Amino acid sequence: QVQLVESGGGLVQPGGSLRLSCAASGSISSIDAMAWHRQAPGKERELVAVITRGGSTTYLQAVKGRFTISRDKNTVYLQMNSLKPEDTAVYYCYAALITRTTMYPSDYWGQGSQVTVSS
């Protein structure tokens, strides 16, 4: 079994910073891409940032220059600076990974972390 466990969400004032972490554990053979998505109330889930196994990164235009995705083995981080009220959402980590019993990557999701930006 594979689990993605998130930590680091919370309440922060506009202009503040938060760091999200997501650790993948279990019978993992290899991990391809890892990413962060978010879903605000009444809106569809959107991709915020993705990092490939090779370290290439891609960001949602709205967060470029403020958010940084990084990865250390089976853990992915999202450093969020200069936070704005419109960044308020539930943030979900994602991993495309191969387990020790499968041959092809499957999608796995974290439990979600609430990030609220408000004064």
Side-chain angles (χ1 to χ4, degrees):
Q1 292 183 340
V2 173
Q3 280 188 312
L4 271 61
V5 179
E6 301 179 28
S7 61
L11 172 65
V12 64
Q13 292 186 342
S17 298
L18 279 176
R19 189 191 197 205
L20 301 179
S21 300
C22 173
S25 63
S27 57
I28 298 169
S29 178
S30 65
I31 300 179
D32 290 345
M34 300 187 81
W36 290 95
H37 293 70
R38 69 185 181 187
Q39 188 166 19
K43 296 187 177 181
E44 294 190 353
R45 190 174 297 191
E46 62 182 356
L47 175 63
V48 175
V50 61
I51 184 166
T52 68
R53 180 161 48 183
S56 298
T57 57
T58 305
Y59 294 93
L60 179 70
Q61 183 64 38
V63 308
K64 279 185 179 179
R66 300 188 297 121
F67 290 13
T68 302
I69 189 170
S70 61
R71 178 175 168 179
D72 180 14
K73 295 181 181 178
N74 293 353
T75 300
V76 64
Y77 305 94
L78 186 67
Q79 177 66 44
M80 303 182 290
N81 299 328
S82 303
L83 282 160
K84 304 176 181 180
E86 51 264 42
D87 294 319
T88 295
V90 178
Y91 284 70
Y92 297 91
C93 71
Y94 161 88
L97 61 87
I98 300 173
T99 71
R100 296 195 181 101
T101 59
T102 61
M103 293 180 61
Y104 302 100
S106 297
D107 299 337
Y108 290 85
W109 293 89
Q111 80 276 16
S113 297
Q114 177 68 48
V115 171
T116 302
V117 185
S118 175
S119 54

